[in-house]
Amino acid sequence: MELKVKYFGQLTELVGKQEEEIQLQSNRVSDLKQVLFQNYPILKKHSFQIAQNNQIIGEQKKLETTTVDLFPPFSGG
C-alpha cells in the first residue's frame, strides 16, 4: 500500500518535510507508526495523532484511504 503522509505543526520540523510517500505492507495504523518510528526515531519522544478523512483514528484501526495526516497534540483554551 502506498500512503501519502502529511505532517503538521512541529512534526514538520522534526521530520524535515511536510509530506512524503511511504510504502506499507499492510493497512494497519500500528504498522504505519512502526515505519515512522524506524525512519524518524525522534518521533518516539513526541506524541502525535493520526487522522484520515478528517477524523482522528486509533492505533487499532485500519487505514481506509491513501492519505493520512499527522498532528501534534492540540492545546486548547
Side-chain angles (χ1 to χ4, degrees):
M1 164 180 223
E2 187 165 301
L3 189 64
K4 180 188 273 187
V5 179
K6 295 182 178 182
Y7 302 97
F8 293 88
Q10 78 180 77
L11 298 175
T12 60
E13 296 171 18
L14 294 173
V15 302
K17 55 185 82 171
Q18 292 182 337
E19 65 181 54
E20 70 178 319
E21 301 283 331
I22 291 181
Q23 204 59 36
L24 285 182
Q25 298 301 319
S26 76
N27 63 346
R28 294 191 311 243
V29 173
S30 58
D31 289 338
L32 170 60
K33 286 183 85 170
Q34 230 175 25
V35 169
L36 291 170
F37 291 153
Q38 185 176 25
N39 292 347
Y40 309 105
I42 194 162
L43 289 179
K44 292 178 186 178
K45 298 178 184 178
H46 297 272
S47 62
F48 59 89
Q49 296 179 315
I50 298 173
Q52 70 179 355
N53 296 326
N54 298 320
Q55 291 188 328
I56 303 295
I57 57 174
E59 201 166 317
Q60 302 307 317
K61 289 279 192 171
K62 292 193 177 195
L63 299 167
E64 298 170 355
T65 62
T66 56
T67 302
V68 296
D69 302 317
L70 270 64
F71 296 101
F74 298 107
S75 60

